[in-house]
Amino acid sequence: MTKIGIDVNGVLRDTLEKFDQLYEKHLIDKDPESTLGQTFELDMSGNTLPIDSETTPFEYKKITDVTSLNLLDHYSFKSSEELFSFLYEEYAMELFGHAPSTEMTTFNMLNDLYFELRDENDLLIVSNEIGKSKPSTLFFLSKFGCLLEKVLFFSEVTKNNMWNEVDILLTANPELLLEKPQDKIVVKYNTIYNKQIESRYEISSLSEFNGILKTIKENVI
């Protein structure tokens, strides 16, 4: 049986759209009167008084339109550690659990594919996740009614294990598109951040995937 992997981010889940919403809500539009990060001193009467700082407050802003998955190139953060905390600690469930699907009927199309392909293919969901994003992603898949039985999480360390589990991978991830092993086939799901990458096979909607698979099997497999 042909092993077909379907990536979550960019293919099933519009993670970047949700990230943009959360960034604006929690960092750009936060209460300007908030005392978060303010330093205080205690006077002799027990009252707290703010200490004026000469340091210019850090400005959170969107730097450029998103054209890559390196979010530090497009959104201002104090450090890469702050970005990591934002993604995988503070707002993991909001981001990875409550992001929208890439298309209005993404999961209807996915489940139709499952019924059409499961007899002759082994289908699985794959996703690069860290820490709290794993249960959040399971919630996302459950919320939208994903019927596929297999879900494989991987990281940069275990990426090779993921490749061992698929013959064909549908992904929007630029790194996976560029680093595929020679004996694997990738299908590019077109997004704003992988336009510059050429791929023999590509789609812009999940509705096109079955047709691409038929072409691949006729010509390659």
Side-chain angles (χ1 to χ4, degrees):
M1 296 181 78
T2 303
K3 297 182 290 185
I4 301 171
I6 300 175
D7 203 353
V8 173
N9 290 311
V11 178
L12 303 179
R13 178 174 62 196
D14 195 344
T15 315
L16 283 184
E17 178 182 333
K18 190 63 177 182
F19 175 87
D20 191 78
Q21 293 173 1
L22 293 173
Y23 184 86
E24 184 170 344
K25 175 182 177 181
H26 294 291
L27 295 179
I28 295 179
D29 293 341
K30 67 181 180 181
D31 183 2
E33 301 300 321
S34 170
T35 58
L36 183 64
Q38 174 69 62
T39 304
F40 295 87
E41 64 178 352
L42 192 67
D43 66 15
M44 297 297 293
S45 301
N47 300 314
T48 55
L49 300 173
I51 299 175
D52 292 332
S53 174
E54 299 296 328
T55 305
T56 302
F58 184 83
E59 182 183 4
Y60 290 100
K61 62 181 179 180
K62 189 171 182 178
I63 303 168
T64 65
D65 292 335
V66 176
T67 57
S68 73
L69 290 182
N70 187 352
L71 296 177
L72 289 174
D73 287 345
H74 310 295
Y75 297 87
S76 61
F77 282 89
K78 295 176 183 177
S79 64
S80 58
E81 289 78 14
E82 185 185 34
L83 171 60
F84 183 92
S85 178
F86 185 91
L87 291 171
Y88 299 110
E89 295 170 357
E90 297 179 68
Y91 303 109
M93 179 54 77
E94 286 186 67
L95 176 58
F96 300 105
H98 293 284
S101 57
T102 51
E103 303 177 70
M104 286 293 293
T105 58
T106 292
F107 281 87
N108 290 335
M109 292 185 286
L110 178 66
N111 290 336
D112 287 344
L113 280 170
Y114 167 72
F115 287 123
E116 293 170 14
L117 301 174
R118 63 179 178 176
D119 291 339
E120 299 180 3
N121 304 274
D122 187 11
L123 280 77
L124 71 157
I125 300 292
V126 302
S127 197
N128 187 345
E129 305 293 346
I130 300 173
K132 293 181 181 179
S133 74
K134 295 176 185 177
S136 301
T137 297
L138 291 175
F139 174 81
F140 169 82
L141 295 171
S142 174
K143 178 181 69 173
F144 280 104
C146 175
L147 297 180
L148 278 68
E149 293 95 348
K150 297 181 180 179
V151 178
L152 173 64
F153 293 133
F154 67 94
S155 65
E156 289 302 309
V157 176
T158 60
K159 189 189 301 182
N160 288 339
N161 294 336
M162 181 276 293
W163 284 118
N164 291 335
E165 295 299 321
V166 302
D167 300 310
I168 300 172
L169 177 65
L170 172 61
T171 183
N173 188 307
E175 289 188 4
L176 296 178
L177 291 168
L178 291 171
E179 297 174 2
K180 78 171 185 69
Q182 287 189 343
D183 61 337
K184 305 297 179 180
I185 296 171
V186 291
V187 178
K188 182 176 80 165
Y189 190 100
N190 291 317
T191 66
I192 59 174
Y193 53 81
N194 65 21
K195 289 181 179 180
Q196 75 283 7
I197 298 173
E198 294 184 1
S199 178
R200 182 177 179 182
Y201 305 104
E202 59 183 60
I203 62 175
S204 297
S205 169
L206 200 57
S207 62
E208 304 168 30
F209 189 46
N210 202 1
I212 288 289
L213 287 175
K214 290 177 181 177
T215 299
I216 292 171
K217 291 190 175 186
E218 289 172 358
N219 298 333
V220 182
I221 297 178

